[in-house]
Amino acid sequence: MNPSALALLSVLCYALAAVILEQKLAGYSTALLVATVSATVCVFSLANHYVVQGSLGTPIAFPQGPLLWWLAAACVAWYFADTFYVGSFAHGGSLHSITTIMLLLPVIAALIRLAWIAEAPAFYQITGYAFVSAGTLLVIYGDQYGWK
């Protein structure tokens, strides 16, 4: 499947989850919500691994050696990301502010990539990041002070 289509599907799923969290699950324990999400992800991942990929005969590669440490680091980062994301809703955050803040993901990823491999984004990307950052700040400021 096309990577862009997969990314759009993930955005759709995250948007649905965000609305459910805000409208139905705000105020519940962050730890309980993240544990439930993690258990569900585990079940679905194992089902995909054994049923779908196994039936297709697709070889399943798993990181070996030092790459296991990088996998562990990514898992820890995902755990904290999910905990903070779910916690922002559990503590009464607004759907509009939280999802707008998530627009900073490419900006922050570009900064991490710059620090990691010293590859700077192109000028047009930097310009886009500046607009996204400014727009995010305006939305947060507007939500905070009741501008509608």
Side-chain angles (χ1 to χ4, degrees):
M1 185 177 255
N2 181 325
S4 297
L6 290 172
L8 287 171
L9 287 172
S10 75
V11 169
L12 175 67
C13 292
Y14 272 114
L16 175 61
V19 172
I20 291 169
L21 283 168
E22 183 201 43
Q23 294 299 310
K24 300 295 181 186
L25 301 172
Y28 286 97
S29 164
T30 301
L32 178 64
L33 293 171
V34 171
T36 305
V37 167
S38 298
T40 305
V41 166
C42 185
V43 169
F44 276 90
S45 296
L46 289 173
N48 176 53
H49 174 78
Y50 289 109
V51 176
V52 177
Q53 291 184 344
S55 67
L56 295 175
T58 306
I60 300 167
F62 195 80
Q64 304 288 321
L67 290 178
L68 285 174
W69 291 108
W70 289 111
L71 176 61
C75 290
V76 169
W78 263 310
Y79 164 77
F80 282 110
D82 285 348
T83 299
F84 297 144
Y85 184 70
V86 171
S88 63
F89 288 105
H91 288 90
S94 108
L95 175 74
H96 200 244
S97 290
I98 294 166
T99 54
T100 302
I101 290 169
M102 294 303 290
L103 291 175
L104 290 175
L105 179 68
V107 177
I108 295 167
L111 291 173
I112 292 170
R113 185 178 176 145
L114 174 63
W116 191 316
I117 63 171
E119 181 181 300
F123 175 75
Y124 69 90
Q125 291 169 315
I126 293 171
T127 305
Y129 296 157
F131 282 121
V132 166
S133 299
T136 301
L137 290 174
L138 287 173
V139 168
I140 293 168
Y141 191 78
D143 275 358
Q144 206 170 32
Y145 294 103
W147 297 348
K148 303 285 179 195

